[in-house]
Amino acid sequence: MFDIEPHEQRYTSEWKHYLPLQLRNAAKQRGTGWKVRVINGGATSGAITSGAFMDFAETNIYKSRQVAKFAKAVRAEQVKAGDRVLFADAWHPGVMSVRYMADLLKLGIGIHVMWHAGSYDPADQLGQKIKHKAWSFAFEQAVYHAASISYFATKFHRDLFVKKLQVSGTKTKIVGWPMEYLKTVFAPYAGRKKEKIILFPHRMAAEKQPNALRALERLLPGYDLVFAQEQNLTKDQYRDLVARSEAVFSASLQETLGIGVYEGLLCGAMPIVPKRLSYVEMYPGWCYDSSWTRSRRAVNQSKSVFAPYIRQLLRGRDPEKIDRLAQLVGGQYFSGDNLYGSLFR
C-alpha cells in the first residue's frame, strides 16, 4: 500500500496508524493469506500550504520516495504476479510509474486506487487552482485507465468523477471509507456534557464557506460559534471540543464525504448540513435548503430564516435519533468492509 503523508490536522495522520492495522486485520479474518506491506515516503515536516490540505511541494518529495522504494522492491523481485497495489490516494504520479513497470516487466499485478478529490471537482482546491485543466483531466483519466479498480466513498463522488472526465465507470466501486477506527477513538469522549457550541469542523478554505456560519453569529445569541482549525488543537483537544458541541455545521461547496460531520454524530452533535453534494445521500431528511448557503450573497439574504431554523433544530435535538443516524451512516460510509472484500477476494 502507498500510504498518504500524515498531517496532524487532517485524518491522514490517523490513516498512517490505523489503515495498515485494519487492512492486516481484515486479511487475517478472511484467511486468504494476503500480507500487507506499507510503502511510505519517510519523515515529513507536517507543514500545510495556507488554506490547503497539504504542502503542495513536500507531497511530491514524499510520493517520489514511495515510487523509488517500490521500484527497488521490483528490482529485488519482491513484487510477484498476483500482488495488488493499493494507492490510499489516487492523485499520485506513482500510479503511472507502477503501471509502466507492470506492463513493461509483465508483473501481472493489480492496481487499486482511492479517489478523495481532484480537478474534476470545480469546487475543490485542484479544480480552483489549476486553470488549464487539459493536463490535469488527462492525468486523472490516465489514472483511471491505469488502475484495475477506482474506489469512491459516495455515489455522489463517483458520479461527479465519471461525468466530468467522461469515463465509462465500469472500473469503479462505491465502498465507503475505511474509518471504522473513529468509533474507537471517539468512544472515550462520547459522555462529555454538551455546551452551547456550534462547531465548524472543516478547513478554513473558500470552498468550505466558514463565513456562512460567521454571518449567523448575531442571530444565534447564547451560542458559541467555534472554528476548529483556528484553534490549533491537538487531536485530543479537537475530540474533546467535538464531544462538547451541540451541533456541527457545514455550508460546503465541495464535499465528497464529510468526516467532521460524522465525528460530531459519534458524540451526539446535531448535523446541520446543506441539501447538496455527498450530504444528500448520507443524511436524507436532515438537510437544510441548499439555496441558503449557495453563495455569500445567498447567506446574507437567507440568514433571517436560517438562524431561526437552526434554533428550532437545536431545541428539538434528540440524542437517540442522532445515535441511530450515526450507526446508519457509520455502517454505510465509514466502514472498510466493502473495500477489504474487494482487495482480499
Side-chain angles (χ1 to χ4, degrees):
M1 177 187 71
F2 283 65
D3 68 1
I4 308 177
E5 67 268 30
H7 294 288
E8 180 63 20
Q9 293 187 7
R10 297 189 69 223
Y11 60 90
T12 52
S13 64
E14 295 171 336
W15 277 37
K16 182 81 171 178
H17 174 72
Y18 288 103
L19 189 51
L21 294 178
Q22 292 177 174
L23 286 167
R24 289 178 178 127
N25 185 55
K28 182 178 180 180
Q29 286 183 342
R30 284 162 173 76
T32 56
W34 284 96
K35 295 181 180 180
V36 177
R37 176 180 176 182
V38 178
I39 309 293
N40 67 66
T44 63
S45 69
I48 296 178
T49 301
S50 179
F53 46 86
M54 62 173 61
D55 183 309
F56 293 132
E58 188 172 53
T59 187
N60 284 288
I61 298 172
Y62 191 89
K63 291 176 170 65
S64 296
R65 289 173 180 161
Q66 288 178 300
V67 172
K69 283 186 178 181
F70 184 82
K72 289 177 181 177
V74 169
R75 291 200 71 188
E77 297 184 351
Q78 295 171 354
V79 179
K80 307 295 184 183
D83 286 352
R84 290 174 184 153
V85 181
L86 173 66
F87 283 84
D89 181 6
W91 235 96
H92 196 309
V95 176
M96 301 296 101
S97 299
V98 172
R99 175 51 68 192
Y100 175 88
M101 287 182 277
D103 286 356
L104 297 186
L105 297 175
K106 299 181 179 179
L107 297 179
I109 61 176
I111 300 175
H112 297 230
V113 301
M114 302 175 69
W115 290 94
H116 297 255
S119 71
Y120 52 85
D121 185 342
D124 184 71
Q125 287 269 313
L126 294 178
Q128 294 174 42
K129 291 181 179 294
I130 298 173
K131 301 304 181 184
H132 305 289
K133 295 186 176 60
W135 73 266
S136 61
F137 284 179
F139 171 75
E140 289 160 351
Q141 290 166 337
V143 169
Y144 171 78
H145 292 297
S148 309
I149 300 176
S150 283
Y151 296 114
F152 298 86
T154 61
K155 181 179 182 295
F156 162 78
H157 190 194
R158 193 277 307 273
D159 291 350
L160 173 67
F161 178 92
V162 168
K163 182 178 180 180
K164 194 69 175 182
L165 295 180
Q166 298 183 343
V167 295
S168 66
T170 56
K171 299 195 298 178
T172 66
K173 288 189 177 183
I174 302 166
V175 295
W177 255 199
M179 301 184 74
E180 55 267 32
Y181 65 82
L182 286 174
K183 291 182 181 179
T184 300
V185 300
F186 273 93
Y189 303 84
R192 296 287 197 275
K193 183 179 179 181
K194 292 297 181 187
E195 300 176 19
K196 295 291 186 179
I197 297 173
I198 300 175
L199 178 65
F200 187 87
H202 308 293
R203 289 179 290 107
M204 300 297 288
E207 69 272 17
K208 301 301 183 182
Q209 296 201 110
N211 287 333
L213 182 57
R214 289 197 197 282
L216 299 171
E217 191 163 14
R218 292 182 181 179
L219 299 176
L220 294 170
Y223 285 95
D224 289 329
L225 309 187
V226 179
F227 299 82
Q229 197 175 46
E230 289 186 335
Q231 306 298 309
N232 194 28
L233 304 172
T234 64
K235 284 293 185 184
D236 179 67
Q237 291 169 330
Y238 169 74
R239 291 166 186 157
D240 178 69
L241 173 61
V242 172
R244 290 184 287 112
S245 299
E246 278 198 7
V248 281
F249 177 93
S250 180
S252 292
L253 297 174
Q254 186 278 332
E255 197 64 80
T256 57
L257 183 59
I259 297 167
V261 174
Y262 174 64
E263 290 174 333
L265 276 179
L266 285 174
C267 296
M270 170 76 73
I272 303 175
V273 298
K275 192 174 183 180
R276 60 172 172 260
L277 312 173
S278 58
Y279 295 132
V280 176
E281 64 188 271
M282 296 175 71
Y283 303 105
W286 290 76
C287 303
Y288 65 77
D289 189 331
S290 179
S291 68
W292 292 350
T293 55
R294 185 171 47 209
S295 64
R296 178 175 293 188
R297 181 180 179 183
V299 171
N300 289 329
Q301 290 176 336
S302 66
K303 62 185 180 182
S304 61
V305 176
F306 197 8
Y309 169 87
I310 292 174
R311 291 197 298 269
Q312 183 178 356
L313 270 184
L314 294 180
R315 282 196 297 269
R317 180 178 160 275
D318 185 332
E320 291 186 2
K321 285 185 178 180
I322 294 172
D323 182 61
R324 287 196 295 271
L325 179 63
Q327 293 180 40
L328 183 65
V329 172
Q332 187 171 355
Y333 296 99
F334 292 90
S335 166
D337 285 347
N338 291 330
L339 174 67
Y340 309 145
S342 178
L343 284 171
F344 301 127
R345 67 186 187 280

